[in-house]
Amino acid sequence: MSQAEPQLIEVVAEAWPLAEPFVIARGAKTEAHVITVTVAQGAFSGRGESVPYARYGESIEGTLAALRALTAPIDRHSAAARLPAGAARNALDCALWDLEAKHARRPAWQLAGVREPKPVLTAYTLSLGTPEAMAGAALRVAHLKLLKLKLGGAGDGERMAAVRAARPDARLIADANEAWTPELLGPLLEAAARAGFETVEQPLPADTDQALADIPHPLPVCADESAHTSDDLEALWPRYDAVNIKLDKTGGLTEALKMAKDARALGFKIMVGSMVATSLAAAPALLIAQDADWVDLDGPLLLARDRQPGLAIDNGWITPAAPELWG
C-alpha cells in the first residue's frame, strides 16, 4: 500500500447482548462489551475487535483512550512498539492485518505464511451452575460434541461427574478461572481425570500457581491467566502442560503466531481461545487454531445476534471467515 495515502483510524465501543447470562467464577455478564478498530487507507479498510478484560487491569474507557491517542500512520511493527500486549493492540493489529490483506488482494493466511485454514471444531461453554443445571445445559446441546465447563471451586467434582453422566458421548474440557485452592487441587484434578476430561485450565491463581509443579498431573493442565505472550512460556514449565493463546492477551495475531510456534517448540499443547465477542474477534484466531489441540472460539454462539456477515458455525464446526468479515 502506498505510504503517501493518508491513514484514518476509527475506534468505537459496542455492546452485544448475550443469548443468556454467562457465568464464571468471577461473576456474570449479559452483554459482550467490545472495542472495534477500523483502519482506512486509500480505497480499502480493515477491521479488528477486542475485549478489554478487568482481570488484566483493562477497561473500555482506558482502551478507547489508548487507541484514540495514537497518531497515523501506523503499521503492525510500530503498533507493537507503541502499545503493550492486550486488548488495545489486538484490535489494532487485527485491523492492520485485514487492511494489508485487502490492499494485497491476498488472504491473510497467505500473508502470515501459514497453511490455508479449514473448518475447526470449537468447544461450547457451559456457564457455572449447580451440577444439575450444568448437566441439563449439556443435554440441551446434545448436537455439540466438545463442551467446556466453567468451574468455581467447591463442588466442582460433582459438576464434572454430573456433566459426564449426562453426556457420555462428549469430549469435555474445563476452566476453573483461578478458583481452586492448593487443598482442592489434587482431589479435583483426580476427579477431572476420572470423568474423562481432556484438560483443566488455570486451576490456581496466576500468582500462586507454584503448587502445580509439585504434584502429578493426571491430565494436562493448561495456563490461561498465567500465559499472555511468548515471553511467559519458558517459566511455565513444569507447572503447565498446555497454554491457552488468546489474541486479547498476546496483543493481536502477530504475537499469537509467534507464541504458537514457540509453545510447540517447547513441547506445550495448545488451546486457542477468545473472550465472549463477535465473529470479528474470532476470525483472526482461526489462523492459529488450525494446529491447536483444543479450540474455544464459541463467542458468536453465545450472542443473541452476531455481526453480518459472521462466521458460519454448524454443529460446532467453524468455517474460516469470508473476506467480507475479515482477512
Side-chain angles (χ1 to χ4, degrees):
M1 74 187 75
S2 171
Q3 294 302 311
E5 296 173 324
Q7 190 182 73
L8 300 175
I9 303 173
E10 179 185 31
V11 186
V12 297
E14 301 172 341
W16 294 81
L18 304 187
E20 57 186 41
F22 183 73
V23 184
I24 66 171
R26 295 190 192 96
K29 63 193 302 183
T30 58
E31 292 181 316
H33 292 274
V34 309
I35 298 291
T36 303
V37 171
T38 302
V39 182
Q41 193 162 16
F44 302 96
S45 62
R47 297 185 302 165
E49 178 183 312
S50 67
V51 179
Y53 197 35
R55 168 64 180 81
Y56 304 138
E58 298 176 326
S59 67
I60 292 290
E61 295 76 14
T63 303
L64 286 172
L67 287 164
R68 288 171 176 168
L70 296 173
T71 54
I74 194 165
D75 57 20
R76 289 187 289 109
H77 178 76
S78 58
R82 292 160 68 178
L83 289 170
R89 197 171 87 196
N90 176 29
L92 179 60
D93 181 81
C94 291
L96 290 167
W97 273 103
D98 190 29
L99 178 64
E100 289 175 37
K102 301 296 192 293
H103 265 279
R105 293 181 171 84
R106 295 172 57 198
W109 63 266
Q110 287 187 358
L111 299 180
V114 299
R115 62 187 176 89
E116 183 176 4
K118 305 296 183 185
V120 295
L121 180 67
T122 181
Y124 179 81
T125 304
L126 303 182
S127 286
L128 176 64
T130 66
E132 297 77 15
M134 296 184 77
L139 285 171
R140 288 193 294 274
V141 291
H143 61 294
L144 300 177
K145 302 306 181 185
L146 177 58
L147 302 180
K148 178 175 180 175
L149 280 63
K150 288 293 187 178
L151 300 177
D156 282 347
E158 291 79 5
R159 293 181 178 99
M160 290 186 283
V163 172
R164 171 53 73 202
R167 290 293 307 277
D169 62 306
R171 294 175 57 200
L172 300 177
I173 60 179
D175 184 1
N177 283 117
E178 304 180 284
W180 293 2
T181 64
E183 294 74 25
L184 289 172
L185 181 62
L188 288 179
L189 286 178
E190 291 290 347
R194 285 195 304 271
F197 278 67
E198 298 179 14
T199 185
V200 172
E201 275 183 82
Q202 200 69 42
L204 298 177
D207 57 356
T208 60
D209 62 1
Q210 185 56 42
L212 287 165
D214 302 325
I215 67 167
H217 293 186
L219 74 168
V221 180
C222 181
D224 184 3
E225 286 84 354
S226 292
H228 290 247
T229 70
S230 55
D231 290 340
D232 299 322
L233 291 171
E234 287 194 15
L236 295 177
W237 199 268
R239 288 173 289 163
Y240 294 96
D241 312 285
V243 292
N244 187 343
I245 299 175
K246 294 178 179 176
L247 273 62
D248 273 317
K249 294 187 301 179
T250 65
L253 178 61
T254 302
E255 169 61 19
L257 289 162
K258 181 179 187 301
M259 187 174 183
K261 180 180 179 180
D262 291 353
R264 285 297 189 200
L266 289 169
F268 287 104
K269 292 181 178 294
I270 291 174
M271 180 183 295
V272 173
S274 68
M275 308 302 184
V276 181
T278 79
S279 286
L280 181 57
L286 288 172
L287 273 61
I288 311 293
Q290 298 301 305
D291 297 312
D293 299 277
W294 306 280
V295 176
D296 180 25
L297 298 175
D298 65 342
L301 294 176
L302 304 176
L303 301 177
R305 59 181 177 84
D306 191 12
R307 296 187 190 277
Q308 296 300 322
L311 292 169
I313 307 178
D314 183 23
N315 289 330
W317 288 91
I318 307 180
T319 299
E324 293 78 13
L325 173 64
W326 183 87

